[in-house]
Amino acid sequence: MNTRGGLCFDQTLNTSGNRALKCQMPRLEDHCWSSSCASRVETKHSPSSSSSSSSSSSGANWLAPKAEEMMSIITSVLSNAYGSLHDVRTANLIRRGLVLFTVGASLALVLNLLQIQRHVTLFPEEVMATLFSSAWWIPPCCGTGAAVVGLLYPCLDSHLGEPHKFKREWASVMRCIAVFVGINHASVKLNFDNNVQLSLTLAALSLGLWWTFDRSRSGFGLGVTTAFLATVITQLLVYNGVYQYTSPDFLYVRSWLPCIFFSGGVTVGNIGRQLAMGGAEKPHMD
């Protein structure tokens, strides 16, 4: 009986121990499960933080090339705009130069024919046998001079800071051209006792042309410079026998020749100024 009782007691202890272990196992599993869940939660939170930092760095890496691309686009647009503006200015300068060259060559051809017909200038016989009865080099040389002088007038005005605003319209420019042609016609038509009286008359007419259509210091200065240089070049041509003047009284030429060149410089300067303004009509400012 005692042995049996002891065995039963041992079995009871064993079964109770097994039950206790069984009861404790779920707690260990719960502990393991909770620890694994916590680690999963931590792993879930840690990628989010790393992803946020990586997204911010990727955003910065994406923004930098975009900014560089925008800067390159802006730079290319500005360079293209400057190039187009430079091309427009160059084309405008060439257009004004061609117009001035055409006007100067045409006036030189007509006025030189007038002087030849009135026997003011004499050319060799082979020159007179040409199509226009004049030297071929006179129109291109006078056209080039007209282009240079006509382009210098507005440049000098802008450099001096004195924009010319006196009688800025094409009607005034055409009247100036008509007066210039009249002065040239008077130089071969008027008959005086000597060339000095004719020279004084043409000088007064040339100054009247400047006062009526220009009245600027830059115009007067460029007119005087043009008259001086053109007279010197003409004297050199006559001295070298290219052509000659009848009745010369001022170093191989006529004394009224500087007056013609002065009025021509003022006339071409007014044309150049009007072309530089783009043909815009301006009111009179007397």
Side-chain angles (χ1 to χ4, degrees):
M1 291 292 294
N2 293 328
T3 57
R4 287 181 181 178
L7 291 171
C8 291
F9 180 74
D10 293 334
Q11 291 176 357
T12 302
L13 289 175
N14 291 329
T15 54
S16 61
N18 293 328
R19 288 176 181 176
L21 290 173
K22 288 178 180 180
C23 293
Q24 293 176 357
M25 287 301 293
R27 293 179 182 176
L28 293 175
E29 291 174 358
D30 293 339
H31 179 70
C32 294
W33 181 83
S34 62
S35 63
S36 63
C37 289
S39 63
R40 287 177 184 176
V41 171
E42 290 177 357
T43 53
K44 285 181 180 180
H45 285 292
S46 60
S48 64
S49 61
S50 62
S51 63
S52 63
S53 61
S54 62
S55 64
S56 62
S57 61
S58 63
N61 294 330
W62 176 83
L63 186 61
K66 289 295 182 181
E68 293 179 358
E69 183 179 358
M70 290 297 295
M71 290 299 295
S72 63
I73 292 173
I74 293 172
T75 304
S76 63
V77 169
L78 291 177
S79 62
N80 291 331
Y82 176 77
S84 62
L85 181 61
H86 185 267
D87 293 339
V88 169
R89 289 180 178 177
T90 304
N92 187 24
L93 187 66
I94 294 173
R95 177 182 61 83
R96 289 190 284 136
L98 290 176
V99 172
L100 291 168
F101 177 85
T102 304
V103 172
S106 301
L107 289 176
L109 183 62
V110 173
L111 298 177
N112 187 49
L113 287 175
L114 179 63
Q115 292 184 358
I116 291 175
Q117 291 176 357
R118 300 297 297 181
H119 303 288
V120 177
T121 55
L122 299 176
F123 286 88
E125 295 181 357
E126 59 270 14
V127 174
M128 300 301 296
T130 57
L131 178 62
F132 296 103
S133 299
S134 177
W136 64 268
W137 49 267
I138 290 181
C141 290
C142 293
T144 303
V148 173
V149 173
L151 294 176
L152 279 177
Y153 263 76
C155 293
L156 186 60
D157 291 338
S158 62
H159 180 71
L160 295 177
E162 298 178 356
H164 190 261
K165 298 180 180 179
F166 182 72
K167 293 187 177 182
R168 293 292 85 216
E169 69 261 351
W170 278 110
S172 177
V173 173
M174 297 304 295
R175 288 193 294 268
C176 183
I177 295 174
V179 173
F180 169 65
V181 175
I183 292 174
N184 278 270
H185 191 70
S187 66
V188 298
K189 284 288 186 178
L190 295 179
N191 294 319
F192 287 90
D193 294 335
N194 52 38
N195 288 329
V196 176
Q197 295 178 355
L198 179 60
S199 300
L200 293 176
T201 303
L202 294 180
L205 292 175
S206 300
L207 290 176
L209 182 143
W210 168 79
W211 181 257
T212 305
F213 300 103
D214 195 324
R215 296 189 187 182
S216 65
R217 294 180 298 174
S218 60
F220 183 81
L222 276 178
V224 172
T225 304
T226 302
F228 175 76
L229 294 177
T231 303
V232 170
I233 293 174
T234 304
Q235 288 172 344
L236 291 176
L237 291 175
V238 174
Y239 177 77
N240 290 319
V242 178
Y243 70 103
Q244 61 181 357
Y245 281 87
T246 58
S247 303
D249 59 338
F250 180 64
L251 296 178
Y252 309 106
V253 298
R254 294 286 186 94
S255 57
W256 46 259
L257 191 62
C259 303
I260 302 298
F261 289 136
F262 175 82
S263 59
V266 174
T267 303
V268 172
N270 284 332
I271 298 173
R273 283 168 171 165
Q274 192 65 32
L275 289 173
M277 292 178 64
E281 291 291 332
K282 297 291 182 181
H284 286 279
M285 297 185 65
D286 295 336

